[in-house]
Amino acid sequence: MAIFKNRPLCAACMSFILFSVIGYFISSPVRMIIIAIAVFILVTTVIFYLWKRSSPNKSLYISLVAFAIMLSTLVSYLYFDTKQNTFEKYYNEDHTIEAVVVSNISESVNFNVYEIDVRKIDGDKTSHKAIVTMSYDSALDIGDLFTVEAEASQSSQYYSQTRLLSDGIFIIYNSSNAASLNYIKGDVFIPKILFKNINSKLSRIFTSNLDVNSGALSSALLLGNKDLLSDIVRRDFYRAGVSHILALSGLHVSILMGALAFLLKRLHIGIKKIAVVLSVGAIVYLLITGLSLSACRAVIMIILVYMAILFERRNDSLTSLSFAGVLILFISPGSVLDAGFWMSFTATLGLLVYMPAFNDFMNKCFEKFKNYKKISKFIIKPLKFVLNLICTGICAMIPLITVMCIFAGEVSLYTVLSSAILSVPATVIIILSGLFLLVSSIPFLSHPLSLAITFISNFMLNVCERISDTEHAVVSLRYPFVFIAIVVIGVTLAYSLIFRLRNVFIALTPSAIALLILISSISAFNYINQDIVTTSYINVSSQSDMLVLSNDRESVIVDIGTGSKSSYYSALETASEQRVTEIQAIILTKCSHTHQS
């Protein structure tokens, strides 16, 4: 296994990540058995080493891997069993809770949803995250301290259980009694709220000086504040396959830290001092942007790079990536269920596995032109840049297919193309937006920057809109045969990862064939079934009957109830299960049951 040669920490970290996934799916007794086996292997290895029956290098590898497996399984047990069981005594009963509003998830006249930090429950001190739903106008703001009577439950019809666990939330409070709500005080200090307020103030600089969409896009790209983006813009980015550009990741952190490093070098500051400044800057940036998992992974990796510079050590990208994954999963075990974490992790892993093989191949292809300076400058370099962008999208997309199949069940056909087109404009906006924050109060400097940001933002928005309007831009992956292709892609990725294949054809061909077979199978299936219309009847209650008419990735939802929308989400789920990616129309007939016969 070439990749783990002389990389004991990388081997241990990958084992931790693998068994964090396994730990979620297995039962509590099986977890305890795995922990016992890992402890036995660890102790046996130490004894063999002390008796000089095993080499130091071999003993180190086995000990680290066994310890990683034991630790990851133990963390899964403490999180998914022990911690979750502590909340069971509260379920299905009414309680009086005292809490602080941390985030406003949804707000309307008669229904409000908040993320809260619970301080007391029935007068007893506690500390846990939760979600509270209020079926009335509560008019609470972020930072408000309040008490309310609410029923506790384990799940909610508005959130999946995996989403709640990934956020570290084990309990939902539902309040229907407006009279029980008691406002105590506002502006309660919580670090998360403090940084969220800072983020909001910085976002307002963009929204007050730029147009609505440009300001919202700048806030999302630089500050990670996607709340300002309209549903239409989010939909367009999703259908164009570039939602990852909006999620803070290594791209955003590297651009900002790279720009800061450039300025510090011009001030003739030493490389070690620069490493310290950039490490602190990366942490501050992470706090201001809300501690998203993708940003955490990127910041941890980049800090490891700076620490290697500081201590004059060589940094290894795979070890840094796996170590960053371990830190996130150790601190927040629920992240194993978070799609954003896996999309960020697997995309970076794909780049580290496949890009070296591609770069070697590209360098060999263009080696003969290196003596022709004019050709190299005006043709070869731009061509290599374009090819690098395209291959970056492909290399990141190969492992991402697996994640999208598991979490989203859909994939955009334009991901590689749109990523190649929009990566550079997104980079420019990040840099210009950072400069704009610094000079926003100086008109003759901020005005040209605002014009440039608006122009580039409109270009990105128009590209996404055009792709989004394309029929069947998104393809469903909810087919029985998709699992086979996913397994093949996963196995080939693991093979390329373990043995570090340097030949681009050997590394990419198996996965490329699997993708080709997958696309061909989906196309053939849709062609054969293009004239078949599926009618699904949904009856959640006696007043919310609905029909879902599906044909060739398209669907029409017809409400044949009394006007109630209580089964609307069930209709969407039904359409999704039938591999529908586009809702062509929603017909609200609002007819009564007396006329349905």
Side-chain angles (χ1 to χ4, degrees):
M1 296 187 179
I3 191 174
F4 297 129
K5 187 177 181 180
N6 300 322
R7 285 192 178 104
L9 181 60
C10 182
C13 290
M14 288 295 184
S15 300
F16 185 101
I17 294 170
L18 175 61
F19 275 82
S20 293
V21 178
I22 295 174
Y24 169 70
F25 290 101
I26 59 180
S27 62
S28 179
V30 177
R31 292 193 189 106
M32 300 309 296
I33 292 173
I34 292 177
I35 293 173
I37 293 174
V39 171
F40 174 77
I41 294 174
L42 179 60
V43 173
T44 304
T45 303
V46 172
I47 293 174
F48 269 67
Y49 171 70
L50 293 176
W51 285 356
K52 298 183 180 180
R53 298 295 179 89
S54 178
S55 64
N57 190 46
K58 185 177 180 180
S59 299
L60 177 63
Y61 269 84
I62 297 176
S63 299
L64 285 176
V65 169
F67 179 76
I69 293 173
M70 177 197 70
L71 184 62
S72 63
T73 310
L74 179 61
V75 168
S76 296
Y77 172 77
L78 294 175
Y79 187 80
F80 293 112
D81 287 334
T82 305
K83 187 174 181 179
Q84 188 170 6
N85 291 340
T86 60
F87 293 94
E88 288 186 353
K89 60 184 179 182
Y90 300 120
Y91 295 154
N92 303 319
E93 294 181 359
D94 291 335
H95 304 278
T96 300
I97 62 170
E98 180 181 305
V100 179
V101 177
V102 176
S103 177
N104 187 344
I105 298 175
S106 176
E107 187 175 23
S108 62
V109 176
N110 296 316
F111 192 78
N112 297 274
V113 184
Y114 304 100
E115 179 187 338
I116 58 175
D117 178 19
V118 181
R119 301 285 183 85
K120 293 181 181 180
I121 181 165
D122 295 331
D124 298 328
K125 289 187 177 181
T126 184
S127 179
H128 62 266
K129 292 171 61 178
I131 286 178
V132 59
T133 63
M134 299 179 175
S135 54
Y136 48 84
D137 186 8
S138 57
L140 292 173
D141 293 322
I142 295 175
D144 286 349
L145 178 66
F146 67 95
T147 61
V148 70
E149 291 182 4
E151 181 183 10
S153 62
Q154 184 178 5
S155 60
S156 169
Q157 61 176 320
Y158 306 102
Y159 301 93
S160 66
Q161 192 66 17
T162 54
R163 178 181 174 184
L164 294 173
L165 290 176
S166 68
D167 289 336
I169 296 175
F170 296 90
I171 192 167
I172 303 289
Y173 295 101
N174 301 291
S175 173
S176 57
N177 183 9
S180 68
L181 178 63
N182 180 30
Y183 173 84
I184 299 176
K185 64 177 180 179
D187 298 326
V188 176
F189 175 78
I190 293 179
K192 184 176 181 179
I193 295 178
L194 172 64
F195 290 114
K196 190 176 183 68
N197 290 336
I198 294 174
N199 188 295
S200 298
K201 289 180 180 179
L202 294 176
S203 296
R204 280 196 291 270
I205 295 177
F206 292 119
T207 55
S208 60
N209 291 279
L210 304 172
D211 63 70
V212 175
N213 288 330
S214 299
L217 186 58
S218 295
S219 298
L221 289 174
L222 181 65
L223 303 173
N225 186 359
K226 293 184 285 188
D227 296 338
L228 301 176
L229 293 172
S230 66
D231 292 338
I232 294 176
V233 170
R234 293 192 189 200
R235 180 207 63 187
D236 291 345
F237 271 79
Y238 170 76
R239 288 179 58 80
V242 286
S243 296
H244 60 277
I245 289 181
L246 298 176
L248 290 179
S249 62
L251 170 69
H252 305 72
V253 178
S254 298
I255 291 170
L256 291 175
M257 295 303 106
L260 181 57
F262 177 81
L263 294 175
L264 294 175
K265 286 180 180 178
R266 292 297 177 273
L267 298 175
H268 303 289
I269 298 176
I271 187 67
K272 290 187 177 181
K273 292 181 180 179
I274 290 177
V276 174
V277 173
L278 293 180
S279 298
V280 175
I283 294 173
V284 172
Y285 177 68
L286 177 63
L287 293 173
I288 292 175
T289 53
L291 294 169
S292 67
L293 293 178
S294 57
C296 286
R297 194 252 333 142
V299 168
I300 292 171
M301 283 190 66
I302 206 165
I303 288 178
L304 291 175
V305 172
Y306 298 148
M307 291 300 101
I309 295 173
L310 191 62
F311 295 103
E312 299 179 354
R313 294 290 187 270
R314 180 177 174 272
N315 179 67
D316 180 72
S317 299
L318 277 171
T319 302
S320 298
L321 174 64
S322 58
F323 185 71
V326 168
L327 283 181
I328 291 172
L329 292 175
F330 182 79
I331 296 171
S332 176
S335 302
V336 74
L337 302 174
D338 186 83
F341 167 75
W342 287 113
M343 291 179 72
S344 174
F345 184 85
T346 55
T348 306
L349 184 62
L351 294 176
L352 295 178
V353 171
Y354 293 121
M355 281 303 289
F358 170 77
N359 289 330
D360 289 347
F361 173 75
M362 192 164 59
N363 290 333
K364 290 178 181 177
C365 291
F366 293 113
E367 187 175 3
K368 63 179 71 175
F369 298 102
K370 65 180 181 180
N371 294 326
Y372 300 92
K373 294 183 178 180
K374 290 186 177 181
I375 295 177
S376 177
K377 182 178 181 180
F378 296 104
I379 298 178
I380 302 302
K381 287 185 177 180
L383 181 59
K384 287 177 69 175
F385 178 76
V386 173
L387 290 175
N388 187 71
L389 283 178
I390 295 174
C391 190
T392 297
I394 294 174
C395 292
M397 195 64 196
I398 290 174
L400 268 179
I401 288 286
T402 304
V403 179
M404 289 182 175
C405 180
I406 295 172
F407 288 97
E410 296 177 347
V411 63
S412 172
L413 294 175
Y414 295 90
T415 295
V416 175
L417 176 63
S418 53
S419 295
I421 294 174
L422 299 178
S423 293
V424 174
T427 301
V428 175
I429 286 183
I430 292 170
I431 295 174
L432 294 181
S433 297
L435 293 174
F436 185 82
L437 285 180
L438 298 175
V439 300
S440 58
S441 58
I442 307 175
F444 71 92
L445 291 177
S446 62
H447 184 65
L449 284 175
S450 65
L451 292 177
I453 293 172
T454 301
F455 176 79
I456 300 172
S457 297
N458 288 334
F459 168 77
M460 293 184 65
L461 293 169
N462 288 333
V463 169
C464 291
E465 183 181 3
R466 292 287 183 89
I467 295 175
S468 178
D469 290 339
T470 304
E471 191 174 9
H472 303 320
V474 177
V475 173
S476 175
L477 297 176
R478 295 180 179 89
Y479 296 85
F481 49 78
V482 168
F483 179 75
I484 300 174
I486 297 305
V487 170
V488 173
I489 294 172
V491 170
T492 55
L493 174 64
Y495 183 81
S496 302
L497 172 67
I498 293 171
F499 294 100
R500 272 323 269 281
L501 302 178
R502 303 295 295 187
N503 186 297
V504 67
F505 294 107
I506 297 176
L508 290 176
T509 299
S511 296
I513 292 174
L515 282 174
L516 182 62
I517 293 174
L518 175 62
I519 294 171
S520 302
S521 301
I522 292 175
S523 301
F525 184 91
N526 288 328
Y527 179 78
I528 294 172
N529 296 279
Q530 62 181 336
D531 296 326
I532 299 176
V533 177
T534 302
T535 303
S536 303
Y537 172 64
I538 300 172
N539 176 245
V540 176
S541 67
S542 60
Q543 297 181 342
S544 61
D545 299 345
M546 281 193 169
L547 293 179
V548 179
L549 310 178
S550 304
N551 177 34
D552 189 26
R553 291 177 285 180
E554 299 176 350
S555 188
V556 174
I557 296 177
V558 184
D559 181 358
I560 58 174
T562 59
S564 170
K565 291 187 179 181
S566 59
S567 62
Y568 173 69
Y569 292 104
S570 298
L572 290 180
E573 290 177 3
T574 300
S576 180
E577 290 170 358
Q578 296 174 358
R579 297 175 290 277
V580 169
T581 57
E582 297 178 19
I583 304 297
Q584 293 296 319
I586 301 174
I587 303 174
L588 305 177
T589 60
K590 296 185 180 180
C591 60
S592 67
H593 281 263
T594 57
H595 296 97
Q596 287 181 20
S597 57

